[in-house]
Amino acid sequence: MKENVAEIKHQEEETNTRSFFGKTAAFVMVFAIVTSMVHIWMNSFSLMMVIKKNAIHLGLMLGLTFLIYPATKKSSKEKPSIFDWIFSVLGIFTGIYIYLTYDSLIDRSLTPNTMDYCFAIITVLLILEAARRAVGWILPILSMAFIFYAKFGYLFPGVLAHQGFTWKRILTRMYLTDNGIYGVTLMVSASYVFMFILFGSFLNKSGTAKFFNDFALAFAGKFRGGPAKVAVMASGLMGTISGSSQANVATTGAFTIPLMKEVGYTPRFSAAVEAAASTGGILMPPIMGAASFMMASFLGIPYLKVMVAGIIPALFYYFAIFIMVDLEAQKLDLKGLSSDKLPNLKAVIKKQGHLMIPIIVILILLVKGLTPLYSAFYGLISVIVVSFIKKSTRMSLKDILEALEDGAKNAVPVAIACAVVGFIVGVVSMTGLGQVLAHNILKLSMGQTWLALLLVMVASIFLGMGLPATACYIITASIAAPALINMGVNPLAAHFFAFYFGTLSAVIPPVALTSYTAAGLSGANPTEVAFTGFKLASAGIIIPFMFVYSPILLLQGDINPIRMLTTIITGLIGVYLLGASNEGYLKCRVNKFESLILFIGAITLVYPGVITDIIGLAIGLGIFYKNKKKTQKTLAL
């Protein structure tokens, strides 16, 4: 246990956040609590203009960023420097400036003056620096590249060329309109994302995360390779309230990885299971790494429709990992945990089951037609009320204040990422780059949907490397999804396709951030964990192709119950065959040729059609029964 704590501390150091003491700690705590309270007021009780709300949100997030995240690895991890304080104050003032002056700016027909341009420059520089600290170099560099493209478009060749824009035009578009920094991305962050992150913080403080772990352990711990199945199940449950795959790893991996190693899984495989399962948490409704709110805004559809559409694909993803974990356990002849090491399922539900009520409350409110904002607010209140049902889960005033503090701090990376991505979205809108890329993808694919899907898959994975899930989705949705929509792909399926592959980049080498986090907890080689994690998650690569060719999996189109059931069954079999192909095991070890045949069978089950389904089923059943007879003969001997 001490080793686990040490590893978690090491991971915290890797995130480059400060640990405060004394008066500074008290100030930051109060600042974070006030930030959360301001957001609750803005989203639940205020009718403030959207751009003003976005400005206040960004100002507060910038203020927190420069206090929480040091400038370099050599900077103090205990107290901010004088420059950090200056940047923090400037960040807050950028929000106050827009709040106080935007009405007069409207009176001037959005014609900026010198002071507006000065604050625009300050805000742009602060956002880029805040992004560098909070989410790394990739997003700031990418954003600066897009700004460079907006200014010097005439330097680019062929269809990418444009006449270029003046610096004043760029600053005006990025800073004073809803097509840049204060656009849809920051709007979603200021409202839905913040409130649901805050809701997750309250659930965590009430003990819901512990309930998920205990429930998963009691339910699945006894089965073959039980701890790995616990990791899959617990990570999926945590995904319903967490917007971060790395936070998911740290929360569930601290207890699942040692258990997996205990029953015989290698440290490499144990960490890879947790990495792949935690990455899937971003795909799990209702939060979906906050991308679900972005998707609803981009497509102009109700959030509930996006949330419901994500259920079947997310379950498919976890089924894929579950199958590969089970096949690995069969291959290694692993057992589950003994009953004396497992909590009693009935006792866990009786003691902590009421903690699920707030999640149910939110789902009921959404189904009844309330907005996500009001649903999150009432869900937050219900967490506090429900916690009082049992003395063991009762939230104290300290717990409530800590939840408010954690919510604001946890929202910082997402908010800053949404702000800096605003540059990319703004430039794409200004220059028409999205349409140009969509046209070229269409041209390169020669009108073939499968080839366009492969091109978008590669683009989404590449663009998503090293980015937070929300930022990753915004970029891929702005650049890659329009190409698929132009080819006739269902719009929701196109956005889900880009979202899935952008999210899976978190477990795909060479970046594979979740794998490196999990490797720190297991003591395994990070590179080996990354490739094994990719292998486990690769069964999920088939899923986006499935819902593009069969939008019924997203509850789109004509919902025929028989057709839906058939599609789900054949899809699950396809995922199973792909898992068996990757693991090289189906009733017994299979050779490389059989693995290839299983892969082909899985692909045929993806494409809808009676003939392709029959081929895939025949392949699966043929190898299954062949290996079953082989196993029986071996046992007879």
Side-chain angles (χ1 to χ4, degrees):
M1 187 67 187
K2 289 181 179 178
E3 292 178 0
N4 293 338
V5 172
E7 292 292 352
I8 292 172
K9 286 182 177 179
H10 173 70
Q11 293 301 328
E12 288 175 347
E13 290 173 2
E14 289 296 313
T15 62
N16 201 32
T17 54
R18 287 191 171 101
S19 298
F20 298 104
F21 301 96
K23 293 181 179 179
T24 305
F27 176 83
V28 173
M29 179 187 71
V30 172
F31 184 15
I33 291 171
V34 169
T35 296
S36 290
M37 295 299 292
V38 168
H39 279 82
I40 291 173
W41 171 73
M42 288 194 303
N43 288 307
S44 304
F45 304 103
S46 172
L47 296 175
M48 188 185 302
M49 186 186 297
V50 172
I51 199 166
K52 290 185 177 183
K53 182 169 77 170
N54 294 349
I56 293 296
H57 169 68
L58 178 59
L60 291 171
M61 292 293 99
L62 286 172
L64 274 176
T65 302
F66 293 111
L67 297 181
I68 295 173
Y69 293 89
T72 66
K73 291 182 178 180
K74 294 181 180 180
S75 301
S76 172
K77 289 292 186 72
E78 297 179 3
K79 61 180 181 179
S81 68
I82 184 64
F83 290 106
D84 293 328
W85 285 108
I86 292 172
F87 291 162
S88 179
V89 172
L90 279 175
I92 295 170
F93 269 105
T94 61
I96 294 174
Y97 180 79
I98 290 291
Y99 180 81
L100 295 177
T101 65
Y102 201 76
D103 290 335
S104 66
L105 183 65
I106 293 175
D107 294 337
R108 288 184 269 124
S109 301
L110 294 180
T111 303
N113 57 30
T114 303
M115 186 62 73
D116 293 329
Y117 283 125
C118 288
F119 266 93
I121 294 170
I122 291 170
T123 304
V124 168
L125 294 176
L126 288 177
I127 289 173
L128 291 172
E129 171 60 10
R132 182 192 69 81
R133 296 189 186 197
V135 296
W137 278 100
I138 297 176
L139 265 182
I141 290 174
L142 197 58
S143 297
M144 287 189 287
F146 272 79
I147 293 172
F148 180 88
Y149 175 70
K151 172 62 179 172
F152 302 106
Y154 52 85
L155 298 177
F156 288 78
V159 294
L160 293 177
H162 64 87
Q163 64 182 5
F165 296 89
T166 65
W167 284 120
K168 286 187 175 182
R169 177 78 179 275
I170 293 171
L171 285 172
T172 301
R173 183 76 172 234
M174 295 299 149
Y175 181 67
L176 297 174
T177 73
D178 57 4
N179 288 314
I181 298 168
Y182 300 123
V184 64
T185 57
L186 199 64
M187 180 275 289
V188 173
S189 172
S191 50
Y192 310 128
V193 175
F194 192 98
M195 291 299 288
F196 272 84
I197 288 177
L198 191 59
F199 172 68
S201 296
F202 271 80
L203 281 175
N204 194 41
K205 280 296 176 182
S206 70
T208 305
K210 183 179 184 304
F211 165 66
F212 286 158
N213 290 339
D214 291 345
F215 178 81
L217 189 60
F219 185 82
K222 62 184 177 181
F223 297 113
R224 177 173 54 208
K229 294 173 182 176
V230 170
V232 175
M233 189 173 178
S235 295
L237 290 170
M238 275 299 297
T240 62
I241 65 172
S242 171
S244 167
S245 56
Q246 292 182 71
N248 204 336
V249 169
T251 304
T252 59
F255 91 98
T256 58
I257 289 175
L259 289 176
M260 283 188 269
K261 291 162 66 176
E262 183 180 326
V263 298
Y265 287 109
T266 64
R268 169 185 54 80
F269 191 83
S270 301
V273 169
E274 186 57 54
S278 293
T279 298
I282 302 299
L283 309 174
M284 182 64 72
I287 295 179
M288 296 167 63
S292 54
F293 307 114
M294 297 289 178
M295 201 179 298
S297 296
F298 281 162
L299 291 171
I301 60 177
Y303 161 73
L304 180 63
K305 188 173 183 178
V306 176
M307 184 191 76
V308 172
I311 294 174
I312 294 177
L315 294 178
F316 267 52
Y317 178 85
Y318 276 100
F319 175 77
I321 300 177
F322 192 90
I323 288 301
M324 295 185 72
V325 161
D326 185 65
L327 291 171
E328 181 77 7
Q330 290 182 51
K331 191 162 58 176
L332 300 177
D333 193 27
L334 301 181
K335 309 298 179 185
L337 294 170
S338 58
S339 57
D340 61 313
K341 293 184 177 182
L342 298 173
N344 181 273
L345 182 59
K346 289 183 179 179
V348 168
I349 294 174
K350 184 178 180 181
K351 183 179 179 181
Q352 300 168 289
H354 61 285
L355 296 174
M356 284 293 292
I357 293 176
I359 297 176
I360 296 171
V361 167
I362 278 191
L363 295 177
I364 291 174
L365 292 175
L366 287 170
V367 170
K368 282 185 170 292
L370 265 73
T371 66
L373 282 178
Y374 280 110
S375 300
F377 174 72
Y378 289 121
L380 193 152
I381 298 300
S382 71
V383 175
I384 300 172
V385 174
V386 166
S387 74
F388 276 78
I389 292 176
K390 295 286 180 69
K391 186 177 180 180
S392 58
T393 61
R394 192 170 298 161
M395 293 184 72
S396 64
L397 177 60
K398 181 183 177 183
D399 291 329
I400 293 171
L401 293 176
E402 287 179 351
L404 290 168
E405 178 187 4
D406 291 345
K409 289 180 177 179
N410 293 339
V412 167
V414 179
I416 297 302
C418 287
V420 76
V421 163
F423 296 129
I424 298 173
V425 175
V427 170
V428 169
S429 173
M430 286 179 75
T431 61
L433 181 62
Q435 288 80 1
V436 170
L437 293 177
H439 172 75
N440 279 277
I441 289 175
L442 184 63
K443 188 176 179 181
L444 286 171
S445 64
M446 296 174 290
Q448 298 296 313
T449 303
W450 67 269
L451 185 54
L453 290 172
L454 289 176
L455 291 171
V456 172
M457 177 187 76
V458 173
S460 299
I461 291 173
F462 176 76
L463 288 170
M465 286 184 174
L467 300 182
T470 308
C472 165
Y473 165 69
I474 295 167
I475 295 172
T476 52
S478 301
I479 296 175
L484 298 180
I485 296 172
N486 287 346
M487 294 192 71
V489 174
N490 178 282
L492 188 58
H495 277 257
F496 261 98
F497 189 89
F499 167 54
Y500 258 63
F501 282 112
T503 299
L504 289 175
S505 66
V507 77
I508 295 176
V511 179
L513 295 178
T514 52
S515 294
Y516 296 141
T517 305
L521 293 171
S522 72
N525 181 288
T527 303
E528 292 179 356
V529 171
F531 281 99
T532 306
F534 172 57
K535 176 185 172 184
L536 288 170
S538 63
I541 287 178
I542 200 173
I543 296 169
F545 290 90
M546 290 171 64
F547 55 64
V548 166
Y549 285 111
S550 301
I552 196 170
L553 294 175
L554 297 174
L555 304 181
Q556 297 294 291
D558 182 23
I559 309 296
N560 183 299
I562 296 176
R563 181 167 165 253
M564 173 173 276
L565 183 62
T566 304
T567 304
I568 290 174
I569 292 172
T570 56
L572 290 174
I573 295 172
V575 169
Y576 187 95
L577 295 186
L578 186 57
S581 172
N582 287 342
E583 277 296 313
Y585 191 92
L586 185 62
K587 294 301 289 183
C588 66
R589 293 179 186 271
V590 299
N591 58 42
K592 291 183 179 179
F593 176 73
E594 288 174 324
S595 289
L596 177 61
I597 296 300
L598 286 170
F599 176 78
I600 293 172
I603 298 302
T604 60
L605 287 164
V606 171
Y607 193 82
V610 177
I611 295 176
T612 53
D613 287 347
I614 291 173
I615 293 172
L617 291 171
I619 289 173
L621 288 172
I623 295 180
F624 178 84
Y625 281 111
K626 170 185 170 293
N627 289 349
K628 184 178 180 181
K629 288 182 179 180
K630 182 179 177 181
T631 304
Q632 289 173 344
K633 287 181 180 179
T634 303
L635 291 174
L637 295 173

